[in-house]
Amino acid sequence: MTKALRDLGLAGGKVKMIGFDAGSQSVADMKNGDVQALVVQNPVLMGYLGVVTAVKHLRGEKVEKRIDTGVSLITRENMDQPEMKELLYPPIDKYLK
């Protein structure tokens, strides 16, 4: 989408764009001003709660039908805050030890 905006001369904030997820291209597009914000989930928390829920289910315990893992709106202004950086660049190595 950002390529299309650039090709049309509408990038850089002329058309406001909010993306979803923290893929490397999306983060780069936000850094350079073609994307104004990213809606990002917490993949580590999603995985953790998925395993916890599966274990509860296998044990016969009640599990919620819907589990909200949260979402954050990340912008150029807040992307360097530690909690936002961790969502943009999940420290996977930290959990694989």
Side-chain angles (χ1 to χ4, degrees):
M1 184 62 137
T2 53
K3 182 181 179 329
L5 289 176
R6 284 191 293 272
D7 290 349
L8 294 169
L10 298 173
K14 291 178 184 172
V15 170
K16 304 297 182 203
M17 183 169 161
I18 297 175
F20 179 80
D21 214 354
S24 58
Q25 186 61 53
S26 296
V27 174
D29 289 341
M30 186 172 63
K31 282 182 180 178
N32 72 27
D34 290 337
V35 171
Q36 283 61 56
L38 294 172
V39 176
V40 178
Q41 296 173 303
N42 183 333
V44 176
L45 181 60
M46 291 170 71
Y48 173 78
L49 291 175
V51 171
V52 167
T53 303
V55 169
K56 283 183 178 180
H57 174 73
L58 292 171
R59 289 180 177 165
E61 298 174 23
K62 183 179 180 199
V63 296
E64 298 297 321
K65 288 185 179 184
R66 182 176 189 276
I67 299 171
D68 185 357
T69 59
V71 65
S72 295
L73 183 68
I74 302 179
T75 64
R76 285 172 51 175
E77 292 76 25
N78 70 6
M79 70 186 295
D80 290 325
Q81 295 174 3
E83 59 275 6
M84 298 301 172
K85 272 182 128 168
E86 195 162 301
L87 293 173
L88 292 175
Y89 311 102
I92 302 302
D93 292 343
K94 172 179 163 182
Y95 300 103
L96 296 178
K97 293 180 181 181

